[in-house]
Structure formats: structure tokens, C-alpha cells
Coordinates of all heavy atoms in Angstrom, one line a residue:
M1 N 18.3 11.1 -78.3 CA 18.1 12.5 -78.6 C 18.7 12.8 -79.9 O 19.9 12.5 -80.2 CB 18.7 13.3 -77.5 CG 18.4 14.7 -77.6 SD 19.1 15.8 -76.4 CE 18.7 15.1 -74.8
D2 N 17.9 13.4 -80.8 CA 18.5 13.7 -82.1 C 19.4 15.0 -82.0 O 19.4 15.7 -81.0 CB 17.4 13.9 -83.2 CG 16.6 15.1 -83.0 OD1 17.0 16.1 -82.5 OD2 15.3 15.0 -83.2
N3 N 20.1 15.2 -83.1 CA 21.2 16.3 -83.1 C 20.6 17.6 -82.9 O 21.2 18.5 -82.2 CB 21.9 16.3 -84.5 CG 23.2 15.3 -84.4 OD1 23.5 14.9 -83.3 ND2 23.7 15.1 -85.5
S4 N 19.3 18.0 -83.5 CA 18.9 19.3 -83.3 C 18.5 19.6 -81.9 O 18.7 20.7 -81.3 CB 17.6 19.5 -84.3 OG 16.6 18.7 -83.9
K5 N 17.9 18.6 -81.2 CA 17.6 18.7 -79.8 C 18.8 18.9 -79.0 O 19.0 19.7 -78.0 CB 16.8 17.5 -79.2 CG 15.3 17.5 -79.7 CD 14.6 16.4 -79.2 CE 13.1 16.4 -79.6 NZ 12.4 15.1 -79.2
R6 N 19.9 18.2 -79.3 CA 21.1 18.2 -78.6 C 21.8 19.6 -78.7 O 22.1 20.2 -77.8 CB 22.1 17.1 -79.0 CG 23.4 17.0 -78.2 CD 24.1 15.8 -78.6 NE 23.4 14.6 -78.2 CZ 23.3 13.5 -78.9 NH1 23.9 13.4 -80.0 NH2 22.6 12.5 -78.5
N7 N 21.7 20.1 -80.0 CA 22.3 21.5 -80.2 C 21.5 22.6 -79.5 O 22.1 23.4 -78.9 CB 22.3 21.8 -81.6 CG 23.5 21.0 -82.4 OD1 24.4 20.6 -81.8 ND2 23.2 20.9 -83.7
F8 N 20.2 22.4 -79.4 CA 19.3 23.3 -78.7 C 19.8 23.4 -77.3 O 19.9 24.4 -76.6 CB 17.9 23.0 -78.9 CG 17.0 23.9 -78.1 CD1 16.7 25.1 -78.5 CD2 16.4 23.3 -77.0 CE1 15.8 25.9 -77.7 CE2 15.5 24.2 -76.1 CZ 15.3 25.5 -76.5
L9 N 19.9 22.2 -76.7 CA 20.2 22.1 -75.3 C 21.6 22.7 -75.0 O 21.7 23.4 -74.0 CB 20.1 20.5 -74.9 CG 20.2 20.3 -73.4 CD1 18.9 20.8 -72.8 CD2 20.2 18.7 -73.2
K10 N 22.5 22.4 -75.9 CA 23.9 23.0 -75.7 C 23.8 24.5 -75.7 O 24.4 25.2 -74.8 CB 24.9 22.6 -76.8 CG 25.4 21.1 -76.6 CD 26.3 20.9 -77.7 CE 26.8 19.5 -77.7 NZ 27.6 19.1 -78.9
Q11 N 23.0 25.1 -76.7 CA 23.0 26.5 -76.7 C 22.2 27.1 -75.6 O 22.7 28.1 -75.1 CB 22.2 27.0 -78.1 CG 22.9 26.6 -79.3 CD 22.3 26.9 -80.6 OE1 21.0 27.0 -80.5 NE2 23.0 26.8 -81.7
T12 N 21.3 26.4 -75.1 CA 20.5 26.9 -73.9 C 21.3 26.9 -72.7 O 21.4 27.9 -71.9 CB 19.2 26.0 -73.6 OG1 18.4 26.0 -74.8 CG2 18.4 26.5 -72.5
V13 N 22.2 25.9 -72.5 CA 23.1 25.7 -71.4 C 24.2 26.9 -71.5 O 24.5 27.6 -70.6 CB 23.7 24.4 -71.3 CG1 24.8 24.5 -70.3 CG2 22.7 23.4 -70.9
A14 N 24.6 27.1 -72.7 CA 25.7 28.1 -73.0 C 25.2 29.5 -72.5 O 25.8 30.3 -71.9 CB 26.2 28.1 -74.4
I15 N 24.0 29.8 -73.0 CA 23.4 31.1 -72.7 C 23.1 31.2 -71.2 O 23.4 32.2 -70.6 CB 22.0 31.3 -73.5 CG1 22.4 31.4 -75.0 CG2 21.3 32.5 -73.0 CD1 21.0 31.4 -75.8
G16 N 22.7 30.1 -70.6 CA 22.4 30.2 -69.2 C 23.6 30.5 -68.4 O 23.6 31.1 -67.4
L17 N 24.8 29.9 -68.9 CA 26.0 30.2 -68.2 C 26.6 31.5 -68.5 O 27.3 32.1 -67.6 CB 27.1 29.2 -68.6 CG 26.8 27.7 -68.2 CD1 27.8 26.8 -68.8 CD2 26.8 27.6 -66.6
T18 N 26.4 32.1 -69.6 CA 26.9 33.4 -70.0 C 26.2 34.5 -69.4 O 26.8 35.5 -69.0 CB 26.9 33.5 -71.6 OG1 27.4 32.4 -72.1 CG2 27.6 34.7 -72.1
L19 N 24.9 34.5 -69.3 CA 24.2 35.7 -68.8 C 24.6 36.0 -67.4 O 24.8 37.2 -67.2 CB 22.6 35.4 -68.9 CG 22.1 35.4 -70.3 CD1 20.6 35.1 -70.2 CD2 22.2 36.8 -70.8
P20 N 24.7 35.2 -66.5 CA 25.3 35.6 -65.1 C 26.6 36.2 -65.2 O 26.8 37.3 -64.4 CB 25.3 34.3 -64.3 CG 24.5 33.4 -65.0 CD 24.4 33.8 -66.4
L21 N 27.5 35.8 -66.0 CA 28.8 36.4 -66.2 C 28.7 37.9 -66.6 O 29.3 38.8 -66.2 CB 29.6 35.6 -67.1 CG 30.1 34.2 -66.5 CD1 30.9 33.4 -67.5 CD2 30.9 34.3 -65.1
A22 N 27.7 38.0 -67.6 CA 27.5 39.3 -68.2 C 27.0 40.3 -67.1 O 27.3 41.4 -67.1 CB 26.5 39.3 -69.4
K23 N 26.1 39.8 -66.3 CA 25.5 40.6 -65.2 C 26.5 41.0 -64.2 O 26.6 42.1 -63.8 CB 24.4 39.7 -64.5 CG 23.6 40.5 -63.6 CD 22.5 39.7 -63.1 CE 21.5 40.4 -62.1 NZ 20.5 39.6 -61.5
I24 N 27.5 40.1 -63.9 CA 28.6 40.3 -63.0 C 29.5 41.5 -63.6 O 29.8 42.5 -62.9 CB 29.5 39.2 -62.7 CG1 28.6 38.2 -61.8 CG2 30.8 39.5 -62.0 CD1 29.3 36.8 -61.7
A25 N 29.8 41.4 -64.9 CA 30.6 42.4 -65.5 C 29.9 43.8 -65.5 O 30.6 44.8 -65.2 CB 30.7 42.1 -67.1
F26 N 28.6 44.0 -65.7 CA 27.9 45.2 -65.7 C 27.7 45.7 -64.2 O 27.5 46.8 -64.0 CB 26.5 45.0 -66.3 CG 26.6 45.0 -67.8 CD1 26.2 43.9 -68.5 CD2 27.0 46.1 -68.5 CE1 26.2 43.7 -69.9 CE2 27.2 46.0 -69.9 CZ 26.7 44.9 -70.7
A27 N 27.9 44.8 -63.2 CA 27.7 45.1 -61.9 C 28.8 45.7 -61.2 O 28.7 46.2 -60.1 CB 27.2 43.9 -61.1
A28 N 30.0 45.8 -61.9 CA 31.1 46.3 -61.3 C 31.0 47.8 -61.0 O 30.4 48.6 -61.7 CB 32.3 46.3 -62.3
E29 N 31.3 48.1 -59.7 CA 31.2 49.5 -59.2 C 32.5 50.2 -59.4 O 33.6 49.6 -59.4 CB 30.8 49.5 -57.7 CG 29.5 48.7 -57.4 CD 29.3 48.6 -55.9 OE1 30.0 49.2 -55.1 OE2 28.4 47.9 -55.5
N30 N 32.4 51.5 -59.3 CA 33.6 52.3 -59.4 C 34.2 52.3 -57.9 O 33.6 52.1 -56.9 CB 33.2 53.8 -59.5 CG 32.7 54.1 -61.0 OD1 33.0 53.3 -62.0 ND2 31.7 54.9 -61.2
V31 N 35.6 52.4 -58.0 CA 36.4 52.4 -56.7 C 35.9 53.6 -55.9 O 35.8 54.7 -56.5 CB 37.8 52.5 -57.1 CG1 38.7 52.7 -55.9 CG2 38.3 51.2 -57.8
D32 N 35.7 53.4 -54.7 CA 35.5 54.5 -53.7 C 36.7 55.1 -53.2 O 37.5 54.4 -52.6 CB 34.6 53.9 -52.5 CG 34.3 55.0 -51.5 OD1 34.7 56.1 -51.7 OD2 33.6 54.6 -50.5
E33 N 36.9 56.3 -53.6 CA 38.2 57.1 -53.2 C 38.5 56.9 -51.6 O 39.6 57.0 -51.3 CB 38.1 58.6 -53.6 CG 38.2 58.9 -54.9 CD 38.1 60.3 -55.2 OE1 38.1 61.1 -54.2 OE2 38.2 60.8 -56.3
K34 N 37.4 56.8 -50.9 CA 37.5 56.9 -49.5 C 37.7 55.6 -48.9 O 37.9 55.4 -47.6 CB 36.3 57.6 -48.8 CG 36.2 59.0 -49.2 CD 35.0 59.7 -48.5 CE 34.8 61.1 -48.9 NZ 35.8 61.8 -49.6
S35 N 37.7 54.5 -49.7 CA 38.0 53.1 -49.2 C 39.4 53.0 -48.7 O 40.3 53.7 -49.2 CB 37.7 52.1 -50.2 OG 38.7 52.2 -51.2
P36 N 39.6 52.2 -47.7 CA 41.0 52.0 -47.2 C 42.1 51.6 -48.2 O 43.1 52.2 -48.2 CB 40.8 50.9 -46.1 CG 39.5 51.0 -45.8 CD 38.7 51.3 -47.0
Q37 N 41.6 50.8 -49.2 CA 42.6 50.5 -50.2 C 42.9 51.7 -51.2 O 44.1 51.9 -51.5 CB 42.0 49.3 -51.0 CG 43.0 48.8 -52.1 CD 42.4 47.7 -53.0 OE1 41.2 47.4 -52.9 NE2 43.1 47.1 -53.8
A38 N 41.9 52.4 -51.6 CA 42.2 53.5 -52.4 C 43.0 54.6 -51.6 O 43.8 55.1 -52.2 CB 40.7 54.1 -52.8
S39 N 42.7 54.8 -50.4 CA 43.4 55.7 -49.6 C 44.9 55.4 -49.5 O 45.9 56.2 -49.7 CB 42.8 56.0 -48.3 OG 41.7 56.5 -48.3
A40 N 45.1 54.1 -49.3 CA 46.5 53.5 -49.3 C 47.3 53.7 -50.4 O 48.5 54.0 -50.4 CB 46.5 52.0 -48.8
L41 N 46.6 53.7 -51.6 CA 47.3 53.9 -53.0 C 47.2 55.3 -53.4 O 47.9 55.5 -54.5 CB 46.7 52.8 -54.0 CG 46.8 51.4 -53.7 CD1 46.0 50.5 -54.6 CD2 48.3 50.9 -53.8
G42 N 46.5 56.1 -52.7 CA 46.5 57.6 -53.2 C 45.5 57.6 -54.3 O 45.6 58.6 -55.1
Y43 N 44.6 56.7 -54.6 CA 43.7 56.8 -55.7 C 42.7 58.0 -55.6 O 42.1 58.2 -54.5 CB 42.9 55.5 -55.8 CG 41.9 55.5 -56.9 CD1 42.2 55.4 -58.2 CD2 40.5 55.8 -56.6 CE1 41.4 55.6 -59.3 CE2 39.6 55.9 -57.7 CZ 40.1 55.8 -59.0 OH 39.1 55.8 -60.0
V44 N 42.6 58.7 -56.7 CA 41.6 59.8 -56.8 C 40.8 59.5 -58.1 O 41.5 59.0 -59.2 CB 42.2 61.1 -56.8 CG1 42.5 61.4 -55.3 CG2 43.3 61.3 -57.6
S45 N 39.5 59.8 -58.2 CA 38.9 59.5 -59.5 C 39.1 60.7 -60.5 O 38.7 60.5 -61.7 CB 37.4 59.4 -59.3 OG 36.9 60.6 -58.6
N46 N 39.8 61.7 -60.1 CA 40.2 62.8 -61.1 C 41.6 63.1 -60.7 O 41.9 63.5 -59.6 CB 39.3 63.9 -60.9 CG 39.6 65.0 -61.9 OD1 40.7 65.2 -62.4 ND2 38.6 65.7 -62.4
T47 N 42.5 62.9 -61.6 CA 43.9 63.1 -61.5 C 44.2 64.5 -60.9 O 45.2 64.7 -60.2 CB 44.7 62.9 -62.7 OG1 46.1 62.8 -62.5 CG2 44.4 63.9 -63.8
K48 N 43.4 65.5 -61.1 CA 43.6 66.9 -60.6 C 43.5 66.9 -59.0 O 44.1 67.8 -58.5 CB 42.5 67.8 -61.2 CG 42.6 68.1 -62.7 CD 41.5 69.0 -63.1 CE 41.5 69.1 -64.6 NZ 40.4 69.7 -65.2
N49 N 42.8 66.0 -58.5 CA 42.8 65.9 -57.1 C 43.8 65.1 -56.3 O 43.8 64.8 -55.1 CB 41.4 65.3 -56.7 CG 40.3 66.1 -57.2 OD1 40.4 67.4 -57.3 ND2 39.2 65.6 -57.5
A50 N 44.9 64.6 -57.0 CA 45.9 63.8 -56.5 C 46.7 64.7 -55.4 O 46.7 66.0 -55.5 CB 46.9 63.4 -57.5
D51 N 47.2 64.1 -54.4 CA 47.9 64.8 -53.3 C 49.3 65.0 -53.7 O 50.1 64.2 -53.5 CB 47.7 64.1 -52.0 CG 48.4 64.7 -50.9 OD1 49.0 65.8 -51.1 OD2 48.0 64.2 -49.7
N52 N 49.6 66.1 -54.3 CA 50.9 66.4 -54.8 C 51.9 66.5 -53.8 O 53.2 66.3 -54.0 CB 50.9 67.6 -55.7 CG 50.2 67.3 -57.1 OD1 50.3 66.3 -57.5 ND2 49.6 68.5 -57.6
S53 N 51.5 66.8 -52.5 CA 52.5 67.0 -51.4 C 53.0 65.5 -51.1 O 54.1 65.3 -50.6 CB 52.0 67.7 -50.2 OG 50.8 67.0 -49.8
K54 N 52.0 64.6 -51.1 CA 52.3 63.3 -50.7 C 53.0 62.5 -52.0 O 53.8 61.5 -51.8 CB 51.1 62.5 -50.3 CG 51.3 61.1 -49.7 CD 50.0 60.6 -49.1 CE 50.2 59.2 -48.5 NZ 48.9 58.7 -48.0
Y55 N 52.6 62.9 -53.1 CA 53.1 62.2 -54.3 C 53.7 63.3 -55.3 O 53.1 63.7 -56.3 CB 51.9 61.6 -55.1 CG 51.4 60.5 -54.2 CD1 50.1 60.7 -53.7 CD2 51.9 59.1 -54.2 CE1 49.5 59.7 -52.8 CE2 51.3 58.2 -53.4 CZ 50.2 58.5 -52.7 OH 49.6 57.5 -52.0
P56 N 54.9 63.7 -55.0 CA 55.6 64.9 -55.7 C 55.8 64.5 -57.2 O 56.0 65.5 -57.9 CB 56.8 65.1 -54.9 CG 57.0 64.0 -54.1 CD 55.7 63.3 -53.7
K57 N 55.9 63.2 -57.5 CA 56.2 63.0 -58.9 C 54.9 63.0 -59.8 O 55.0 62.9 -60.9 CB 56.8 61.5 -59.0 CG 58.2 61.6 -58.4 CD 59.0 60.2 -58.6 CE 60.3 60.3 -58.1 NZ 61.0 59.0 -58.1
H58 N 53.7 63.1 -59.1 CA 52.4 63.1 -59.9 C 52.5 64.4 -60.8 O 53.0 65.4 -60.5 CB 51.3 63.3 -58.9 CG 49.9 63.6 -59.6 ND1 49.5 64.9 -59.7 CD2 49.2 62.9 -60.4 CE1 48.4 64.8 -60.4 NE2 48.2 63.7 -60.8
Q59 N 52.0 64.1 -61.9 CA 51.8 65.2 -63.0 C 50.3 65.1 -63.5 O 49.8 64.1 -63.6 CB 52.7 64.9 -64.2 CG 54.2 65.1 -63.8 CD 55.0 64.7 -65.0 OE1 54.6 64.5 -66.2 NE2 56.3 64.5 -64.7
A60 N 49.8 66.3 -63.7 CA 48.4 66.4 -64.1 C 48.2 65.6 -65.4 O 47.0 65.3 -65.6 CB 48.0 67.9 -64.3
S61 N 49.1 65.4 -66.3 CA 48.8 64.8 -67.6 C 48.8 63.2 -67.3 O 48.4 62.5 -68.2 CB 50.0 65.0 -68.4 OG 51.3 64.6 -67.9
Q62 N 49.2 62.7 -66.1 CA 49.0 61.3 -65.8 C 47.7 60.9 -65.4 O 47.0 61.6 -64.5 CB 50.0 61.0 -64.6 CG 51.4 61.3 -65.0 CD 52.3 61.0 -63.8 OE1 51.8 61.0 -62.6 NE2 53.6 60.8 -64.0
Q63 N 47.0 59.9 -66.0 CA 45.8 59.5 -65.6 C 45.6 58.0 -65.9 O 46.3 57.5 -66.7 CB 44.7 60.2 -66.2 CG 44.8 60.5 -67.8 CD 43.7 61.4 -68.3 OE1 43.1 62.2 -67.5 NE2 43.3 61.3 -69.5
C64 N 44.6 57.3 -65.3 CA 44.6 55.9 -65.4 C 44.6 55.4 -66.9 O 45.2 54.4 -67.3 CB 43.3 55.4 -64.8 SG 43.4 55.5 -63.0
S65 N 43.9 56.2 -67.8 CA 43.8 55.8 -69.2 C 45.2 55.7 -69.9 O 45.4 55.0 -70.9 CB 42.9 56.6 -70.0 OG 43.3 58.0 -70.0
G66 N 46.1 56.3 -69.2 CA 47.5 56.3 -69.8 C 48.4 55.4 -69.0 O 49.7 55.4 -69.2
C67 N 47.8 54.7 -68.1 CA 48.6 53.7 -67.2 C 48.7 52.3 -67.8 O 47.7 51.8 -68.4 CB 48.0 53.7 -65.8 SG 48.8 52.6 -64.7
V68 N 49.8 51.7 -67.7 CA 50.0 50.4 -68.3 C 49.1 49.4 -67.6 O 48.7 48.3 -68.3 CB 51.5 50.0 -68.1 CG1 51.9 49.6 -66.7 CG2 51.9 48.8 -69.0
L69 N 48.6 49.6 -66.3 CA 47.7 48.6 -65.7 C 46.3 48.8 -66.1 O 45.4 48.0 -65.8 CB 47.9 48.8 -64.2 CG 49.2 48.3 -63.6 CD1 49.3 48.5 -62.2 CD2 49.6 46.9 -64.1
Y70 N 46.0 50.0 -66.7 CA 44.5 50.2 -67.1 C 44.0 49.3 -68.3 O 44.7 49.0 -69.1 CB 44.4 51.6 -67.6 CG 42.9 52.1 -67.9 CD1 42.0 52.3 -66.9 CD2 42.6 52.3 -69.2 CE1 40.6 52.7 -67.1 CE2 41.3 52.7 -69.4 CZ 40.2 52.9 -68.4 OH 39.1 53.4 -68.7
Q71 N 42.8 48.6 -67.9 CA 42.3 47.6 -68.8 C 41.0 48.0 -69.6 O 40.5 47.3 -70.3 CB 42.1 46.3 -68.1 CG 43.3 45.7 -67.5 CD 43.1 44.5 -66.6 OE1 42.0 44.3 -66.1 NE2 44.2 43.9 -66.2
G72 N 40.7 49.4 -69.4 CA 39.5 49.8 -70.2 C 39.9 50.1 -71.5 O 41.1 50.2 -72.0
K73 N 38.9 50.2 -72.5 CA 39.2 50.4 -73.9 C 39.3 52.0 -74.1 O 38.7 52.8 -73.3 CB 38.0 49.9 -74.7 CG 38.0 48.4 -74.8 CD 36.8 47.9 -75.7 CE 35.8 47.3 -74.8 NZ 34.5 47.3 -75.1
A74 N 39.9 52.4 -75.2 CA 40.0 53.8 -75.5 C 38.6 54.4 -75.6 O 37.8 53.9 -76.2 CB 40.8 54.0 -76.9
G75 N 38.4 55.5 -74.9 CA 37.1 56.1 -74.9 C 36.2 55.8 -73.8 O 35.2 56.5 -73.5
D76 N 36.5 54.8 -73.1 CA 35.7 54.2 -71.9 C 35.9 55.3 -70.7 O 36.9 55.9 -70.6 CB 36.0 52.9 -71.5 CG 35.6 51.8 -72.4 OD1 34.8 52.1 -73.3 OD2 36.0 50.6 -72.1
K77 N 34.7 55.6 -70.0 CA 34.8 56.5 -68.8 C 35.5 55.8 -67.6 O 36.1 56.5 -66.8 CB 33.6 56.9 -68.5 CG 32.9 57.9 -69.4 CD 31.6 58.4 -68.9 CE 31.1 59.4 -69.9 NZ 29.9 60.1 -69.6
S78 N 35.6 54.5 -67.7 CA 36.3 53.7 -66.6 C 36.6 52.3 -67.0 O 36.1 51.9 -68.1 CB 35.3 53.6 -65.4 OG 34.1 53.0 -65.7
G79 N 37.4 51.7 -66.3 CA 37.8 50.3 -66.6 C 38.6 49.6 -65.5 O 38.8 50.2 -64.4
P80 N 38.6 48.4 -65.7 CA 39.3 47.6 -64.6 C 40.8 47.9 -64.5 O 41.4 48.3 -65.4 CB 39.1 46.0 -65.1 CG 38.1 46.1 -66.2 CD 38.2 47.5 -66.8
C81 N 41.2 47.6 -63.3 CA 42.6 47.9 -62.8 C 42.9 46.6 -61.9 O 42.2 46.4 -61.0 CB 43.0 49.1 -62.2 SG 44.6 49.3 -61.4
P82 N 44.0 45.8 -62.2 CA 44.3 44.8 -61.3 C 44.6 45.2 -59.9 O 44.5 44.2 -59.0 CB 45.6 44.1 -61.9 CG 46.1 45.2 -62.9 CD 45.0 46.0 -63.3
L83 N 44.8 46.3 -59.5 CA 45.0 46.9 -58.1 C 43.7 46.8 -57.4 O 43.7 46.9 -56.2 CB 45.7 48.1 -58.1 CG 47.2 48.1 -58.6 CD1 47.9 49.4 -58.4 CD2 48.0 47.0 -58.2
F84 N 42.6 47.0 -58.2 CA 41.2 47.0 -57.5 C 40.4 46.0 -58.2 O 39.5 46.3 -59.0 CB 40.7 48.4 -57.8 CG 41.4 49.6 -57.2 CD1 42.4 50.4 -57.9 CD2 41.3 49.8 -55.9 CE1 43.1 51.3 -57.3 CE2 41.9 50.9 -55.3 CZ 42.8 51.7 -56.0
Q85 N 40.6 44.7 -57.8 CA 39.9 43.6 -58.3 C 38.3 43.8 -58.2 O 37.8 44.1 -57.1 CB 40.3 42.3 -57.7 CG 41.7 41.9 -58.0 CD 41.8 41.4 -59.4 OE1 40.9 40.7 -59.9 NE2 42.9 41.6 -60.0
G86 N 37.6 43.5 -59.2 CA 36.2 43.6 -59.3 C 35.6 45.0 -59.3 O 34.3 45.2 -59.1
K87 N 36.4 46.0 -59.3 CA 35.9 47.4 -59.4 C 36.5 48.0 -60.6 O 37.2 47.6 -61.4 CB 36.5 48.2 -58.2 CG 36.1 47.6 -56.8 CD 34.9 48.1 -56.3 CE 34.6 47.5 -54.8 NZ 33.4 48.0 -54.3
L88 N 35.9 49.3 -60.9 CA 36.4 50.1 -62.0 C 37.1 51.3 -61.6 O 36.6 52.0 -60.7 CB 35.1 50.5 -62.9 CG 34.4 49.3 -63.5 CD1 33.1 49.8 -64.2 CD2 35.3 48.4 -64.4
V89 N 38.1 51.7 -62.2 CA 38.7 52.9 -61.8 C 38.4 54.0 -63.0 O 38.1 53.6 -64.2 CB 40.3 52.8 -61.8 CG1 40.7 51.9 -60.7 CG2 41.0 52.3 -63.2
S90 N 38.4 55.3 -62.7 CA 37.9 56.3 -63.6 C 39.1 56.4 -64.7 O 40.3 56.4 -64.3 CB 37.8 57.5 -62.9 OG 37.7 58.7 -63.8
A91 N 38.8 56.6 -66.0 CA 39.8 56.9 -67.0 C 40.6 58.1 -66.7 O 41.8 58.2 -67.0 CB 39.1 57.0 -68.3
N92 N 40.0 59.0 -66.0 CA 40.6 60.3 -65.5 C 41.2 60.2 -64.2 O 41.8 61.2 -63.6 CB 39.6 61.4 -65.6 CG 39.0 61.7 -66.8 OD1 39.7 61.5 -67.9 ND2 37.7 62.0 -66.9
G93 N 41.2 59.0 -63.5 CA 41.7 58.9 -62.2 C 43.3 58.7 -62.2 O 43.9 58.8 -63.2
W94 N 43.8 58.5 -61.0 CA 45.2 58.4 -60.8 C 45.4 57.7 -59.5 O 44.7 57.8 -58.5 CB 45.8 59.7 -60.8 CG 47.4 59.7 -60.6 CD1 48.3 59.6 -61.8 CD2 48.2 59.7 -59.5 NE1 49.6 59.5 -61.3 CE2 49.6 59.7 -59.9 CE3 47.9 59.8 -58.2 CZ2 50.6 59.6 -59.0 CZ3 49.0 59.8 -57.2 CH2 50.2 59.8 -57.6
C95 N 46.5 56.9 -59.3 CA 47.0 56.5 -58.1 C 48.6 56.5 -58.0 O 49.2 56.6 -59.1 CB 46.5 55.1 -57.7 SG 47.4 53.7 -58.2
G96 N 49.1 56.3 -56.9 CA 50.5 56.3 -56.7 C 51.3 55.2 -57.4 O 52.4 55.2 -57.5
S97 N 50.6 54.3 -57.9 CA 51.3 53.1 -58.6 C 51.3 53.4 -60.1 O 51.6 52.5 -60.9 CB 50.6 51.8 -58.3 OG 50.6 51.6 -57.0
F98 N 50.9 54.6 -60.6 CA 50.8 54.9 -61.9 C 52.2 54.5 -62.7 O 53.2 54.9 -62.2 CB 50.5 56.4 -62.2 CG 50.6 56.8 -63.6 CD1 49.5 56.7 -64.4 CD2 51.8 57.3 -64.2 CE1 49.4 57.1 -65.7 CE2 51.7 57.7 -65.5 CZ 50.6 57.6 -66.3
V99 N 52.0 53.9 -63.8 CA 53.1 53.6 -64.7 C 52.7 53.9 -66.1 O 51.8 53.3 -66.6 CB 53.6 52.1 -64.6 CG1 54.8 51.8 -65.6 CG2 54.1 51.8 -63.3
A100 N 53.4 54.9 -66.7 CA 52.9 55.3 -68.1 C 53.1 54.2 -69.0 O 54.1 53.4 -69.1 CB 53.7 56.5 -68.6
K101 N 52.0 54.2 -70.0 CA 52.2 53.2 -71.1 C 53.4 53.6 -72.0 O 53.7 54.8 -72.1 CB 50.9 53.2 -71.9 CG 49.7 52.6 -71.2 CD 48.5 52.7 -72.2 CE 47.2 52.1 -71.6 NZ 46.0 52.4 -72.2
A102 N 54.0 52.6 -72.5 CA 55.1 52.9 -73.4 C 54.7 53.6 -74.6 O 53.6 53.4 -75.1 CB 55.8 51.6 -73.7
Ligands
SF4_1 FE1 45.0 54.0 -62.4 FE2 47.2 52.8 -63.0 FE3 46.7 53.3 -60.4 FE4 45.3 51.4 -61.7 S1 47.6 51.3 -61.2 S2 44.5 53.0 -60.3 S3 45.2 52.2 -63.8 S4 47.0 54.8 -62.1

């Protein structure tokens, strides 16, 4: 097999492996507030709805986008959080594990 055919084959295989991963990334769903895990962590998709009686240290200015665990980019509406593997948390969300970015 000559080099051009070999390169074409490599690129085709690389694209074939990359596309399913991209599809998985786009398929991530938002965290369901009513799921047992979200309830256990006090997660809400809007920080305004946090249960202040249960989480008295919660402040309205705290939200996922300002949490050290938030992995979304600035300006994203949602992003990954390691506490919710394979799901997305709202940038405006909040949970009881909130830790402010330094
Ligand atoms: Fe949001 Fe941080 Fe809680 Fe994750 S740990 S859900 S980013 S507040």
C-alpha cells in the first residue's frame, strides 16, 4: 500500500472514531432536579430556587458558573460537573457542594 492510501485510511479511521465521541458529547442531558442524586445534593437549575432553610449558607450570588467544579466555558448555559457524570448542570444552577472559584 502506498503512502497516500495509507494516510487516507488513517484519516478515515480517525474520523470514524471521533464522530461517535462527538455525538456522545452533544447527547449529554441536563441534570434532572428531581433525580435522587440531585435531590440528595440539593441541586437546582436556578440558584434562586435553592432551599435556604436546608442550606442556610446558600447565597443568591452563588451559582454553578462560579463553582470550582464547574467545567463549562464562560458564557455557556450549562456544563459538566464531576458530581453529575455524563450530565450537564445549569450555569445558573447550584448545589450544596458549591465551592467558590478562587
Ligand atoms: Fe454546580 Fe458546583 Fe454543585 Fe457542580 S458542585 S452542581 S458546579 S454548585
Side-chain angles (χ1 to χ4, degrees):
M1 188 180 307
D2 65 35
N3 273 348
S4 63
K5 285 183 182 173
R6 188 170 292 136
N7 286 340
F8 174 77
L9 195 59
K10 281 182 186 175
Q11 289 173 350
T12 303
V13 170
I15 290 170
L17 293 174
T18 305
L19 285 177
L21 294 175
K23 191 174 179 184
I24 289 169
F26 285 115
E29 296 175 14
N30 293 330
V31 172
D32 177 1
E33 288 184 359
K34 300 189 185 333
S35 71
Q37 184 183 10
S39 295
L41 293 172
Y43 173 79
V44 285
S45 60
N46 187 325
T47 191
K48 292 177 185 171
N49 298 329
D51 184 347
N52 288 328
S53 60
K54 193 172 177 183
Y55 301 98
K57 291 184 178 176
H58 168 258
Q59 296 172 12
S61 61
Q62 299 172 341
Q63 52 189 21
C64 292
S65 61
C67 176
V68 72
L69 294 178
Y70 184 69
Q71 297 173 347
K73 289 180 254 153
D76 286 352
K77 290 185 177 180
S78 59
C81 167
L83 299 187
F84 296 97
Q85 289 289 324
K87 304 268 184 180
L88 299 175
V89 296
S90 168
N92 299 325
W94 184 88
C95 88
S97 296
F98 175 88
V99 177
K101 287 180 182 171

